[in-house]
């Protein structure tokens, strides 16, 4: 039986109301994030069905590891969320595993990836810095030379970006993003448009740690995706690396799906249909998130809808 999860909604100073378009009932006008699949202490998703109904995902992970192939990790390793940036996020950076373990009480570092669901005309992201070396980037931060430091990239719906730990980044105003990431909430803000004062210092900068972890790379940031047609369904592999694999499926009709790992994370981005697991039928619609566990052996996706599936 798949684990359907209740998203955790977070108010943000930069958030808006676009998550309504995905079927979420918003309690405020500034909801910036919906954590769709999370066992993190800052946002534990509740199971909505089956024998574990009412339990949070971290509880199921802790007490029923067999559902996840007995994966040898103390913490649930992945997280998915949707981000609605009515205004730009702070410009920030995340540490890698080694730095976070040593400096953030043993937490995961944070590499992540973005699928652009929607973007207003001329919307942009920040990806990386305009500097040839880390020393130059750190010097520009010291001199508050922000106008020249950050690399701005125009974005469009359907694009995909991988953001490894150490990459300075931000989502700009008017962008709606689906994220898969390591299960971490460690963020070091480099610049916040003065909002650390507006928020009475509750969003303070952390430039010292940011300067420790910044990496300067010249990688191709908009990753070329690998697309194939399987039984009339479009399968787009967005990324596969040491942290996660992320695949977008465009379902049209009936797909017999074989899990590539013991458990996979599934989010419905658009449309509606059914998922049939070991003969049991579950209706699904956009905005829903669930996990196919080790117990889910025979899976069929049926209908017309778009999924993102993530796994280790």
């Amino acid at each position: 039986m798949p684990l359907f999860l209740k998203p955790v909604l977070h108010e943000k100073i930069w958030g808006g109301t676009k998550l309504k378009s995905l079927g979420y009932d918003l309690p405020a006008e500034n909801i910036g994030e919906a954590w769709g699949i999370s066992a993190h202490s800052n946002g534990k998703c509740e199971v909505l069905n089956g024998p574990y109904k009412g339990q949070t995902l971290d509880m199921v992970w802790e007490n029923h590891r067999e559902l996840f192939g007995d994966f040898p990790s103390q913490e649930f390793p992945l997280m998915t969320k949707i981000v609605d940036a009515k205004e730009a996020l702070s410009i920030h950076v995340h540490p890698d595993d080694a730095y976070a373990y040593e400096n953030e009480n043993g937490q995961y570092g944070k590499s992540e990836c973005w699928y652009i669901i929607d973007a207003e005309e001329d919307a942009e992201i920040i990806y990386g810095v305009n500097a040839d070396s880390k020393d130059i980037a750190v010097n520009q931060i010291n001199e508050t030379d922000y106008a020249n430091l950050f690399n701005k990239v125009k974005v469009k719906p359907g694009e995909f970006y991988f953001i490894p730990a150490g990459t300075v980044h931000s989502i700009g105003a008017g962008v709606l993003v689906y994220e898969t990431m390591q299960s971490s909430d460690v963020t070091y803000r480099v610049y916040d448009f003065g909002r650390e004062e507006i928020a009475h210092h509750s969003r303070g900068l952390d430039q010292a740690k940011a300067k420790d972890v910044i990496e300067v790379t010249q990688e191709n940031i908009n990753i070329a995706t690998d697309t194939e047609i399987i039984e009339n369904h479009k399968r787009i592999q967005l990324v596969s690396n040491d942290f996660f694999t992320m695949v977008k499926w465009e379902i049209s009709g009936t797909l017999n799906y074989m899990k590539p790992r013991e458990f996979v994370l599934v989010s419905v981005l658009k449309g509606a249909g059914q998922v049939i697991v070991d003969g049991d039928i579950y209706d699904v619609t956009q905005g829903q998130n669930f996990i196919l566990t080790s117990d889910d052996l025979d899976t069929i996706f049926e209908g017309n809808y778009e999924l993102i599936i993530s796994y280790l």
Side-chain angles (χ1 to χ4, degrees):
M1 176 180 293
L3 302 177
F4 284 86
L5 298 166
K6 180 180 180 180
V8 178
L9 305 178
H10 288 276
E11 293 186 48
K12 298 290 183 179
I13 194 171
W14 41 260
T17 59
K18 285 186 178 179
L19 290 170
K20 289 181 180 178
S21 67
L22 294 172
Y24 294 119
D25 184 16
L26 305 185
E29 296 295 304
N30 63 331
I31 301 300
E33 296 182 346
W35 294 19
I37 302 176
S38 169
H40 193 278
S41 58
N42 291 344
K44 301 176 181 180
C45 292
E46 179 184 329
V47 178
L48 295 172
N49 67 306
Y52 311 109
K53 182 177 180 179
Q55 297 185 34
T56 52
L57 180 56
D58 62 308
M59 296 169 61
V60 181
W61 175 261
E62 178 67 24
N63 298 317
H64 299 282
R65 193 67 59 85
E66 72 279 0
L67 295 175
F68 308 94
D70 293 314
F71 186 79
S73 171
Q74 182 176 349
E75 307 292 338
F76 189 81
L78 297 178
M79 180 192 304
T80 73
K81 65 171 72 169
I82 299 177
V83 177
D84 172 19
K86 182 179 179 181
E87 300 177 14
L89 280 65
S90 68
I91 300 172
H92 56 272
V93 64
H94 306 298
D96 62 15
D97 287 342
Y99 189 93
Y101 185 85
E102 183 175 347
N103 295 277
E104 303 294 343
N105 299 315
Q107 289 196 61
Y108 282 115
K110 190 173 181 181
S111 289
E112 60 187 91
C113 53
W114 298 344
Y115 176 80
I116 309 297
I117 299 174
D118 194 20
E120 297 175 5
E121 188 174 357
D122 292 327
E124 61 188 21
I125 62 172
I126 299 292
Y127 191 110
V129 293
N130 295 310
D132 293 330
S133 71
K134 179 172 179 173
D135 287 344
I136 293 173
V138 168
N139 186 60
Q140 287 179 268
I141 293 172
N142 291 338
E143 295 181 356
T144 65
D145 183 16
Y146 302 132
N148 298 311
L149 177 59
F150 305 120
N151 182 43
K152 298 179 180 179
V153 181
K154 300 287 186 184
V155 294
K156 297 178 181 179
E159 292 180 339
F160 174 80
Y161 298 86
F162 172 56
I163 301 95
T167 304
V168 173
H169 60 283
S170 172
I171 300 171
V175 184
L176 188 67
V177 171
Y178 180 91
E179 296 186 344
T180 291
M181 67 203 72
Q182 293 179 271
S183 183
S184 172
D185 201 26
V186 178
T187 296
Y188 304 144
R189 295 188 183 91
V190 178
Y191 178 64
D192 197 27
F193 308 95
R195 291 180 300 200
E196 64 274 13
E197 300 295 335
I198 295 172
H200 306 292
H201 301 283
S202 64
R203 287 173 54 83
L205 305 180
D206 202 340
Q207 291 187 344
K209 288 183 177 179
K211 287 183 284 189
D212 280 347
V213 305
I214 284 174
E215 298 288 343
V216 175
T217 64
Q218 307 296 327
E219 294 181 4
N220 180 13
I221 60 177
N222 187 357
I223 294 178
T225 56
D226 182 15
T227 301
E228 59 181 327
I229 303 299
I230 300 176
E231 300 178 5
N232 296 319
H233 313 282
K234 183 182 287 188
R235 180 190 185 276
I236 307 169
Q237 179 157 310
L238 300 171
V239 69
S240 186
N241 54 41
D242 291 341
F243 305 106
F244 40 67
T245 294
M246 182 170 164
V247 178
K248 183 171 183 278
W249 281 92
E250 297 178 9
I251 306 298
S252 180
T254 301
L255 171 68
N256 292 289
Y257 178 74
M258 181 176 293
K259 297 197 311 293
R261 289 298 302 267
E262 292 84 356
F263 68 100
V264 300
L265 286 55
V266 185
S267 298
V268 185
L269 293 188
K270 184 178 180 181
Q274 296 176 327
V275 57
I276 305 168
V277 180
D278 298 328
D280 294 326
I281 300 173
Y282 305 89
D283 293 326
V284 294
T285 189
Q286 74 180 125
Q288 285 188 301
N289 304 275
F290 57 94
I291 298 173
L292 293 173
T293 73
S294 295
D295 282 354
D296 300 324
L297 303 179
D298 184 19
T299 302
I300 298 171
F301 294 123
E302 191 166 87
N304 290 280
Y305 52 99
E306 298 181 6
L307 302 172
I308 285 187
I309 299 180
S310 306
Y311 51 92
L312 296 166

